[in-house]
Amino acid sequence: MQRLFTSESVTEGHPDKICDQISDAVLDAYLKLEPNSRVACETYVTTGLVVIGGEITTSVEAKSEVDVADIARRVINRIGYNDIRYKFDAESCGVINVTHSQSADISRGVVVGGAGDQGMMFGYACDQTEEYMPLPIALAHRITRRLADVRRMKNTPMGYLRPDGKSQVTIAYNDDGSVTVDTVVVSTQHDPEPKGVSEKKWQSKIAEDVKQYVIRKAIPEKWLTKRTKYYINPTGRFEIGGPHGDTGLTGRKIIVDTYGGYAPHGGGAFSGKDPSKVDRSAAYAARYLAKNIVAGGFAKECMIQLAYAIGVAEPVSVLVDTRGTALGTSDAELSGMVRKVMDLTPGGITKQLNLRRPIFEKTAAYGHFGRDDKDFTWESLNLVKAMQREIK
């Protein structure tokens, strides 16, 4: 018997991810000039157009120095939309800025250290991979990152690639404890077939190239079998992509951003939000705590829920659920322990994880968790010793 689980990822050129990156780039620009800026930035993209809205409260100096339109164009160009053939490119697209200040009713609760909104946030970690992430989402991210790397590679063997793309990986968890890749789906935007080459031959070449240069470079052979199924551009063609093929909006890829559906999600997006928004900061804190619990040997997997009330600093609830994998310590003991090793107020989280820095644009593609980056402080394992002291 097998248990199958599937997760997906998207490239940085996916329309929704373009929006996430622009929103986080705007956030970074304000944090660089005024670290206490309060930002909730939303972006929408479609053919030839970018609309940026939301609430931004900052100093007069920061407001005058941040050029939102210029930021949007820089991000679009970095991603690779620099050709008018895409019907959406950095030079020709229109940019509309309709941001305004944060509501005074919300602000009065935030300035005294309270949460910027109510809600529940989840963090998760497990021992399936070295990055303490579920295997399906880890492999899906590796594929989409590899697509972008190959596209940018000097003398790339896949010079026909365009920025938009998606991956999906199905993992078989077998009764004997082994895991294998059951199915891999990759859809990648591409140039039209060259003159003299049939569509069928062109798609066949793309499929073979994706297997050779992307999938087999992203997924270790130990997980691939003769029974692994591959679906490469299953519609048969993917030329029209990016914002010309589909509109994009900040915050529509929250499962891609987190655990690929392997753990619950509170529903709040991350991108474009400063750390007073617990949708982001508390989700990072929950991941931080869950990862340290697993790395510390307390459990093989761990899910943490934090919940907040608007304007109230302390969480209204803290839950640790190790899903029956705890090793000598109860979930109730672990719940009490996490409150002792970390200040879970928005201010406490922000200080401990050093979140009032311009580090967020790079979080906005290929997942916020499981990344090896010194700025991703929520991935640090520096709480393990403190946890071990509390649980003797």
Side-chain angles (χ1 to χ4, degrees), residues 123-150:
Y124 179 80
C126 63
D127 63 0
Q128 293 183 26
T129 61
E130 62 182 13
E131 57 261 54
Y132 297 95
M133 289 289 284
L135 185 59
I137 187 65
L139 296 185
H141 283 323
R142 291 180 196 179
I143 289 172
T144 51
R145 283 198 303 267
R146 179 65 184 173
L147 272 174
D149 289 345
V150 172

Side-chain angles (χ1 to χ4, degrees), residues 37-39 102 110 113-117 273-281 346-347 350 355-356:
S37 295
R38 295 202 296 277
V39 179
Q102 185 179 59
V110 175
D117 201 355
K273 296 177 181 178
D274 76 87
S276 71
K277 282 72 173 174
V278 283
D279 279 341
R280 180 170 223 156
S281 56
T350 298
L355 296 180
R356 286 212 167 271

Side-chain angles (χ1 to χ4, degrees), residues 19-283:
C19 295
D20 286 344
Q21 290 166 91
I22 291 172
S23 292
D24 270 337
V26 171
L27 169 63
D28 281 351
Y30 282 105
L31 291 179
K32 184 177 181 179
L33 292 168
E34 175 47 66
N36 290 319
S37 295
R38 295 202 296 277
V39 179
C41 179
E42 309 284 349
T43 304
Y44 167 88
V45 296
T46 188
T47 304
L49 180 64
V50 180
V51 180
I52 301 172
E55 300 79 48
I56 298 174
T57 300
T58 190
S59 66
V60 173
E61 291 79 7
K63 277 186 177 179
S64 64
E65 291 187 38
V66 172
D67 186 335
V68 171
D70 183 67
I71 291 169
R73 295 183 194 283
R74 176 187 60 76
V75 171
I76 292 164
N77 187 66
R78 173 184 59 74
I79 291 169
Y81 287 103
N82 49 20
D83 192 321
I84 198 169
R85 293 178 303 159
Y86 301 159
K87 309 294 184 185
F88 180 88
D89 67 284
E91 185 175 346
S92 67
C93 69
V95 182
I96 300 173
N97 177 8
V98 288
T99 58
H100 57 85
S101 297
Q102 185 179 59
S103 159
D105 290 344
I106 297 175
S107 179
R108 66 164 56 97
V110 175
V111 295
V112 295
D117 201 355
Q118 69 176 45
M120 63 281 190
M121 299 82 215
F122 292 89
Y124 179 80
C126 63
D127 63 0
Q128 293 183 26
T129 61
E130 62 182 13
E131 57 261 54
Y132 297 95
M133 289 289 284
L135 185 59
I137 187 65
L139 296 185
H141 283 323
R142 291 180 196 179
I143 289 172
T144 51
R145 283 198 303 267
R146 179 65 184 173
L147 272 174
D149 289 345
V150 172
R151 175 168 58 88
R152 292 193 170 98
M153 191 184 297
K154 187 177 181 180
N155 300 319
T156 176
M158 301 177 71
Y160 52 80
L161 290 177
R162 293 182 177 182
D164 199 356
K166 304 178 80 171
S167 71
Q168 186 172 284
V169 176
T170 300
I171 296 296
Y173 295 88
N174 305 305
D175 283 348
D176 63 2
S178 65
V179 294
T180 53
V181 175
D182 182 84
T183 306
V184 180
V185 183
V186 178
S187 295
T188 181
Q189 189 185 14
H190 58 82
D191 289 342
E193 59 268 20
K195 290 183 178 179
V197 177
S198 69
E199 180 182 345
K200 184 176 180 180
K201 286 186 176 180
W202 184 232
Q203 292 301 323
S204 178
K205 172 179 171 50
I206 292 172
E208 288 305 311
D209 285 352
V210 167
K211 287 180 185 178
Q212 179 179 352
Y213 299 114
V214 178
I215 295 173
R216 293 189 180 118
K217 296 293 185 181
I219 301 179
E221 288 292 330
K222 65 179 179 179
W223 286 318
L224 299 172
T225 73
K226 293 180 180 179
R227 295 184 298 277
T228 300
K229 299 178 284 294
Y230 301 92
Y231 297 97
I232 315 297
N233 284 359
T235 65
R237 181 185 289 268
F238 187 6
E239 292 174 28
I240 301 171
H244 183 52
D246 191 8
T247 58
L249 190 66
T250 298
R252 285 206 299 205
K253 287 293 175 283
I254 58 176
I255 300 303
V256 171
D257 284 343
T258 52
Y259 309 101
Y262 210 89
H265 196 297
F270 301 156
S271 289
K273 296 177 181 178
D274 76 87
S276 71
K277 282 72 173 174
V278 283
D279 279 341
R280 180 170 223 156
S281 56

